[in-house]
Every structure is written in C-alpha cells, then in structure tokens.
Amino acid sequence: MSKISYVNGRYIAHRHAVVHIEDRGYQFADGVYEVIPIAKERIVDGDAHMDRLESSLSALRIAMPASRTVLNTIIQELIAINGLKNGLIYIQVTRGVAPRDHKFPRLTKSALIMTAKSTKPIARDLLENGVSVITIPDLRWKRCDIKSVSLLPNVLGKQKAIEHGAFESWQVDADGNVTEGTSTNAWIVKDGVILTRPRGPEILGGITRESIITLAIKNGLPLREQAFSVAEAYEADEAFLTSSGNYILPVIRIDEKPIGSARPGRITQNILKIYREYVGLLD
Ligand code: PMP
C-alpha cells in the first residue's frame, strides 16, 4: 500500500505530495507545525495538540486552515487509509502561497499539509539503559513557545549531539539554566522531587510535559516547575527527557558525566510506567 499524505484539500500518494515553491513556509519559515502521537490507532492528547496549534497560529496571526472538526476528520482519515497503528501525525500550516515579500500578503489562504508516519515501539535498549545528552548554548529567538517551523538552531543542536554520540542536546540560557532539548523537554530529579522548567517564552510547552505533570500530581509524586542549572543537572539523582515522538526516555549521562548511578532511576521508571499506562502502551 502506498503511503498517503494530505496536501491542501487532497489525499495524495506521498511520493507525489508537493507544495508550491512560493509557499511562505519554504521561503520564510512562516508557519507552524504539530506532531501528534498515535498509539494503538488512538490519538494521544488530541485536544491539547489542537489547542497548541491554535495558539501558535494566533501568535503569528495565521488563520486556522480549517475547523478542529475538519482537522480531526483528516487525521482520522490518514490513520485509516495508511493503516496506522502506532506512529505520528505531522501537521504543518503556513501563511500560504504568495509572491516573495516579507510583509504579510493581503489575500492568501493558509496552507495545510499532513503526513502520517508509522513508528516502531521505542527501543527497549533506550528505555532500559537510558540515553546521553550534551549541553549547548541556546541560540534561539525569544518566542520558543510558538511551535514554529523555523528550527535551524534545533537542527544544528541535534546534529551536534549525534556527532558526540549523544541522543539529544540540552540548550542552556545566558544564566546557565537548561531551557529544553532540541525536540524534547528536560527534567531532573533531586532529593525525590521532579523538576522541570516552568512554561514561558523560553520553552515549548510540551504536551507530553503537561500530561506528565498532571499524572505526577495525581499519583502523589513531588514535582516543582522550577528552572535548574547545568551544575544542578550534573548533581541530579535522575534525569529524563520527554516528547511526543519518544514519550519518556531516561537520561543517564550529561556531558559524559554519570547522573546518579548512570542507570534509569526509580522515579523515572515509575513515571515512565504511569505514562505508558496512560497512553495505553502497556500490555
Ligand atoms: N521542545 C521542543 C523544542 C520540541 O520541538 C518538542 C517536540 N515537538 C518538545 C519540546 C516536546 O513537545 P511535545 O511533548 O509536545 O512533543
């Protein structure tokens, strides 16, 4: 079965799915995106992803390309026609197609594409043995809460991690505090308390992050939304990272320094189990 994507009103074979060369997303990164996990054919945290899409678009004054109902119908259609069991729906909305000019075009309809990607279960090795991260300066702009397709510092940061044999780079602000990963939120555990940076313009409000906060509170796990420095991260008992693509992964080394016993910690494993249960991935 060939993979099917959605491009501006049409379901189309993925290999033929193209957009216009004057799409402003292509020329100016003038657009936003969402990545929505699908677990056992079910959308995970769909409403929260739609809320974030709406707020990113509104921050850039781009119109919603269709109602939530229509967007949800397209997602369901892509899940069905691609036979997607576990994977990711990618949504991108740009300000549309117009002759290249920095100012907003007067009469342009926002452009919408969606793709469906099937993913394998998270590798047992990563879950059981954890991953390494490195730290890098945060080079991004002052509105990282907008899920903009302008991802150059994130791309460079991830590549640097890979070249250092790490899984992710944690970005660090001018005060020496960790903001977030290049495509993940960052967490540590110290003296039994889970810490993650509060929401604000310096980080993307991760949907996985939000669900974990809710689940931790519900399960009586001590948690504080509080920034932590790189020095504090080195001294942490445990660390982990979160995103829609990987859910939760234990972090066992930061800049090659072992965190705790350099094994996934007890609280991390607990939250991982609670979250996987919530998503419906525990058999
Ligand atoms: N921060 C950044 C910079 C990201 O790109 C992502 C993933 N899109 C996240 C955090 C995690 O967000 P979510 O849990 O919604 O995938």
Side-chain angles (χ1 to χ4, degrees), residues 186-230:
W187 308 68
I188 59 169
V189 180
K190 185 67 182 172
D191 299 330
V193 182
I194 304 169
L195 297 175
T196 196
R197 191 177 176 115
R199 274 182 71 165
E202 312 84 17
I203 65 164
L204 182 75
I207 305 300
T208 321
R209 174 190 176 283
E210 216 57 49
S211 291
I212 288 169
I213 291 173
T214 307
L215 289 167
I217 293 168
K218 212 167 111 190
N219 285 273
L221 301 177
L223 180 145
R224 271 205 309 272
E225 290 184 69
Q226 181 183 303
F228 55 86
S229 66
V230 176

Side-chain angles (χ1 to χ4, degrees), residues 34 46-57 68 207:
E34 270 304 320
D47 289 341
H49 282 279
M50 285 296 159
D51 288 345
R52 188 172 64 185
L53 177 64
E54 246 178 43
S55 83
S56 292
L57 286 171
R68 276 183 185 224
I207 305 300

Side-chain angles (χ1 to χ4, degrees), residues 33-35 49 52 140 147 151 154 171 180-185 204-209 242-245:
Y33 72 108
E34 270 304 320
V35 178
H49 282 279
R52 188 172 64 185
R140 300 173 303 163
K147 201 163 167 60
L151 289 170
N154 310 57
Q171 301 170 100
E180 61 181 336
T182 65
S183 63
T184 57
N185 287 113
L204 182 75
I207 305 300
T208 321
R209 174 190 176 283
T242 60
S243 74
S244 297

